């Protein structure tokens, strides 16, 4: 009797030598135009590279085998060109399996979110029907929310236009802040994705402020993974009428060097107050793995002034908590500092989980006695 596991292992082992003769694309049924366009884009990019084409076909078969075995693998029709390109860079089977599981979880979350939206729509429609029955039964006008009202409805588009107009005014009169996006090569894919989300939150929090900054995203490489995700999060990023400043040039090419101040946690000079005449630079980097002082080295190389936030002076850090802040937290701190000139108020932005509760003198004495295992009664 044949062992199916051994046969499958033998088939996978000899597969790379026979794929050049077999057109595996015929084994995959393309049910929608989006997946067809994704595969067409990849085919156009690798048509001059037979080795990458062979690897792509192996990956397509691997995903199909994983799904037939009941493992956590996404639908290949829903994979984008970025997903396939990233899979081509993964060398080991275990790393690809982790990425398949990650994409499968995202796919299931989207399905659950879609199902919840449909349920919410049905619930809203049912409530609306009940309200209309209530109105029909009443002899007089019914006032209240979703009924007759003297107030005009403010749509989300109106609020967006109002916030964008505030950013347009900030471009003319507000102080400038530079976000240095030149650290893409020092981050892996997960860190670049996290950085892009922080950049999106930075733009959103600055737009919601009463007196926003004039943000400038400099040294942006639009071919990099983080920049592409940033553009995906803000679809109108490169539109001419959208109030955001995105530059390929460095901050040295756009602003006077004597006004630039690089905010880096690795320098010794503490920032004492906010100066609206200075242009502060924040490095767009998520350094979960790399702890090298890259921003300090870059500021020294460019001979710029440097400063760091006085975190140790005003905060008591908890044990085991990192002192790193996200990009959007830095912007929020500078926004409060610009409006109040109060460090204690500005540093309330720092998450409470990073800060140790300040104890009174009596509490500290009792804690110290317990650590020494001493009791006054003994």
């Amino acid at each position: 009797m044949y062992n199916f596991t051994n046969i499958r292992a033998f088939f996978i082992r000899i597969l790379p030598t026979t794929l050049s003769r077999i057109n595996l694309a015929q084994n995959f049924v393309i049910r929608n135009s989006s997946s067809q366009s994704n595969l067409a884009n990849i085919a156009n990019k690798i048509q001059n590279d037979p080795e990458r084409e062979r690897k792509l076909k192996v990956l397509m078969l691997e995903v199909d085998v994983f799904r037939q075995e009941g493992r956590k693998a996404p639908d290949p029709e829903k994979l984008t060109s970025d997903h396939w390109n990233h899979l081509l860079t993964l060398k080991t089977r275990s790393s690809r399996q982790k990425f398949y599981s990650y994409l499968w979880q995202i796919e299931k979350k989207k399905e659950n979110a879609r199902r919840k939206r449909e349920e919410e729509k049905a619930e809203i429609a049912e409530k609306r029907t009940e309200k209309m029955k209530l109105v029909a039964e009443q002899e007089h006008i019914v006032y209240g929310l979703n009924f007759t009202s003297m107030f005009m409805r403010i749509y989300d588009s109106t609020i967006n236009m109002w916030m964008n107009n505030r950013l347009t005014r900030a471009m003319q009169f507000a102080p400038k802040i530079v976000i240095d996006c030149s650290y893409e090569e020092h981050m892996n894919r997960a860190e670049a994705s996290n950085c892009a989300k922080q950049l999106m939150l930075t733009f959103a929090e600055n737009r919601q402020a009463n007196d926003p900054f004039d943000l400038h995203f400099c040294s942006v490489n639009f071919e990099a993974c983080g920049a592409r995700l940033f553009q995906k999060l803000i679809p109108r990023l490169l539109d001419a009428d959208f109030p955001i400043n995105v530059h390929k040039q460095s901050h040295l090419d756009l602003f006077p060097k004597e006004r630039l101040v690089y905010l880096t946690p690795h320098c010794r000079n503490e920032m004492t107050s906010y100066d609206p005449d200075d242009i502060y630079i924040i490095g767009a980097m998520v350094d979960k793995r790399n702890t090298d002082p890259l921003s300090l080295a870059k500021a020294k190389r460019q001979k710029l002034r440097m400063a760091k936030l006085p975190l140790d002076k005003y905060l008591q850090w908890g044990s085991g908590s990192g002192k790193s802040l996200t990009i959007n937290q830095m912007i929020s701190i500078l926004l409060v500092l610009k409006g109040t000139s109060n460090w204690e108020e500005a540093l309330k932005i720092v998450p409470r989980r990073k800060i140790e509760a300040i104890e009174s003198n009596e509490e500290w004495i009792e804690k110290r006695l317990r650590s020494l295992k001493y009791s006054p009664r003994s």
Side-chain angles (χ1 to χ4, degrees), residues 59 83 89 105 122 158 232-233 235 263 284 321 323 328 341 356-357:
L59 292 176
H83 294 154
T89 62
Q105 292 176 5
T158 306
K232 184 178 179 181
L233 294 172
L263 296 179
S321 62
K323 297 183 181 181
N328 53 297
S341 299
E356 183 178 353

Side-chain angles (χ1 to χ4, degrees), residues 164-165 168 171 236-244:
N164 290 343
N165 179 66
T168 304
M171 290 180 178
R236 296 190 59 196
L237 181 67
L238 301 180
D239 291 355
D241 59 340
F242 194 67
I244 191 171

